[in-house]
Amino acid sequence: MTASTREGWRRARLETILDLSLALAGPRREGEVVEELVQRAVGLLDARAGIAISLLPSLEPATVVSVGWPVETGSAARLVSSPALHAVREGAVTRMAGESLGAPFSEVLVAPCLWREELMGVVAVADKEARQGQARFDDEDVTFLRSLALLAAPAIASGRMLEEVQRQRLLLEEVNRALRMGAGEEAEL
């Protein structure tokens, strides 16, 4: 790869990080954030497949979005709890063989979505594609995936807060309606 081509890729990645940060700046639903994360990770890292999983505090999957990654019932929970991902659950970006995750890929790169020391999710990409066939993920890919994951984490957290506030608002509206109806019935007595 020539120096100018490498510089072009760096610029494209920086622009993607900026675009993602702007896209995630407003209120977004958790599912939208997870979808955006996996799409950008797969697209910019030239991966054959990818998966993004948002996690509840119990580390149970909340939202799962994949691109070319086989997902079956329970497979996201098994992936997240896999011993091979211990370092990811602790906050490290990890590179490993797909077989260590039970996935049909040669190489997998996994990054944690950390927000205030809480694991909000994980994003993984598999098998970097190149003109010559398949290439290995390099250190720049690791840095880029970490950046995407770290940008997505607070957006996942704020999406959850937004959904909770909306749930509480609806509940309060129902209580207010019931109180008004009860007050109207008492006034008629």
Side-chain angles (χ1 to χ4, degrees):
M1 181 181 295
T2 67
S4 65
T5 303
R6 184 172 288 288
E7 185 60 31
W9 276 109
R10 281 191 188 119
R11 280 196 185 130
R13 287 179 176 185
L14 286 173
E15 288 172 8
T16 296
I17 290 171
L18 176 61
D19 288 346
L20 182 62
S21 67
L22 292 173
L24 298 178
R28 304 269 310 257
R29 294 195 161 288
E30 184 174 343
E32 293 172 357
V33 173
V34 175
E35 171 84 25
E36 185 88 20
L37 174 60
V38 74
Q39 293 291 338
R40 296 215 185 217
V42 168
L44 263 293
L45 289 172
D46 294 326
R48 183 166 66 111
I51 188 169
I53 305 167
S54 66
L55 300 169
L56 300 173
S58 62
L59 297 184
E60 291 295 314
T63 304
V64 179
V65 179
S66 69
V67 174
W69 191 294
V71 179
E72 301 165 9
T73 305
S75 65
R78 284 190 303 278
L79 176 72
V80 171
S81 63
S82 166
L85 291 186
H86 176 74
V88 174
R89 290 189 298 275
E90 296 296 316
V93 178
T94 305
R95 187 183 323 210
M96 64 191 66
E99 67 186 27
S100 65
L101 296 173
F105 305 112
S106 299
E107 183 185 27
V108 176
L109 190 60
V110 188
C113 299
L114 290 172
W115 174 242
R116 296 184 176 165
E117 298 182 22
E118 182 179 345
L119 185 62
M120 303 301 296
V122 296
V123 59
V125 291
D127 294 345
K128 183 173 183 168
E129 296 177 333
R131 289 190 179 153
Q132 315 82 326
Q134 194 170 319
R136 293 191 43 81
F137 292 110
D138 60 24
D139 290 342
E140 287 183 14
D141 297 329
V142 170
T143 301
F144 180 72
L145 190 62
R146 176 185 294 119
S147 298
L148 291 181
L150 291 175
L151 279 172
I156 291 169
S158 63
R160 286 183 184 166
M161 286 190 283
L162 175 65
E163 289 174 15
E164 179 61 28
V165 166
Q166 289 173 339
R167 261 193 304 278
Q168 288 179 1
R169 182 183 55 82
L170 291 174
L171 180 63
L172 288 173
E173 286 175 0
E174 286 180 33
V175 169
N176 284 338
R177 250 189 309 281
L179 288 172
R180 278 192 298 261
M181 291 179 82
E185 289 173 8
E186 283 183 19
E188 293 175 8
L189 296 177

